[in-house]
Amino acid sequence: MSSADAVARETAWLSAFDPEDGLPALLAAQDGPFDVLQGYLPRTPIQRRRQLYVMRRRIQEVRTANVRRMARYNFELQITWPASSPSGSAEEPQQALDNAVDLVLQRIGGLMLDKTHGGRFLSVAEDPAEVSVVFADPDPSLRGNADLTCSISYSADDIEISG
C-alpha cells in the first residue's frame, strides 16, 4: 500500500458488494443507484448519467512516534445526478439523489466494528469522526434541465509506516 493507490483502494471499497454484509450496493449493475463509480474525474464525463467520482483532496503526513508516521487522506466524492425524471417532476430527482447519498453514507460508515473499509485503511471517517455532504443549489440545474450535484468529504488514515 502506498499513498499513490489510496484513491484506487477507496474506489474498490465503494464499488464492492457482498449481499451478506448488509451494506448497500452502489453500482447500477448490482442494483445500486450509480451508473458510473470510478476514481478521478474523466476528461469528458458521460452525460445524463448518475455518476460518483472518488478524489483525494489532501495528503497529510502525521508523525505518530519518533520513527512512525501515517498518511491521512481527505477524500471527496463528487456526485452528478440528472435533474430530469420520466414524470417531469422536479422533486423526484432531488429525492432520488438524497436516497443515493444515504446509501453512500452507509458504505462510508462501513461494517459494524470495522472502520477499515475491509482492511484497506487503518480507519475511515474516524479522525476526525466527520463526514460532510454539501449539496449545490438545485435551482439553476432544474431551470436548465441540467444535473444536480453534491460532494461528500471525509478522511481516512492509512497504515502506519516506519520513516
Side-chain angles (χ1 to χ4, degrees):
M1 287 188 241
S2 78
S3 65
D5 67 3
V7 169
R9 286 184 275 150
E10 186 62 2
T11 302
W13 170 255
L14 294 170
S15 301
F17 177 62
D18 179 353
E20 296 183 16
D21 69 12
L23 294 175
L26 296 181
L27 283 167
Q30 302 157 336
D31 292 326
F34 294 99
D35 301 311
V36 176
L37 192 165
Q38 72 177 50
Y40 307 110
L41 284 172
R43 182 177 306 278
T44 54
I46 300 169
Q47 298 297 311
R48 314 305 298 153
R49 295 287 183 256
R50 302 161 302 173
Q51 303 168 66
L52 186 154
Y53 297 101
V54 181
M55 284 159 299
R56 181 183 48 206
R57 293 294 183 209
R58 183 176 180 205
I59 302 173
Q60 179 182 10
E61 287 280 331
V62 178
R63 177 99 24 214
T64 57
N66 188 34
V67 295
R68 305 287 296 163
R69 60 188 170 89
M70 173 181 63
R72 175 169 296 146
Y73 311 111
N74 291 103
F75 286 116
E76 181 177 304
L77 309 181
Q78 286 192 3
I79 296 176
T80 304
W81 196 271
S84 59
S85 72
S87 69
S89 164
E91 297 85 356
E92 197 174 289
Q94 292 174 80
Q95 182 62 62
L97 174 57
D98 281 347
N99 295 343
V101 166
D102 183 64
L103 297 178
V104 173
L105 293 175
Q106 289 177 48
R107 290 257 1 139
I108 292 170
L111 301 167
M112 181 66 79
L113 304 176
D114 180 6
K115 303 302 180 190
T116 67
H117 283 191
R120 292 171 177 87
F121 298 95
L122 179 64
S123 67
V124 178
E126 292 292 300
D127 187 16
E130 175 181 295
V131 179
S132 174
V133 182
V134 177
F135 293 89
D137 181 0
D139 188 50
S141 295
L142 295 173
R143 291 182 192 278
N145 200 25
D147 293 324
L148 302 169
T149 60
C150 75
S151 63
I152 302 173
S153 303
Y154 55 98
S155 67
D157 290 339
D158 218 338
I159 307 303
E160 287 185 325
I161 58 172
S162 297

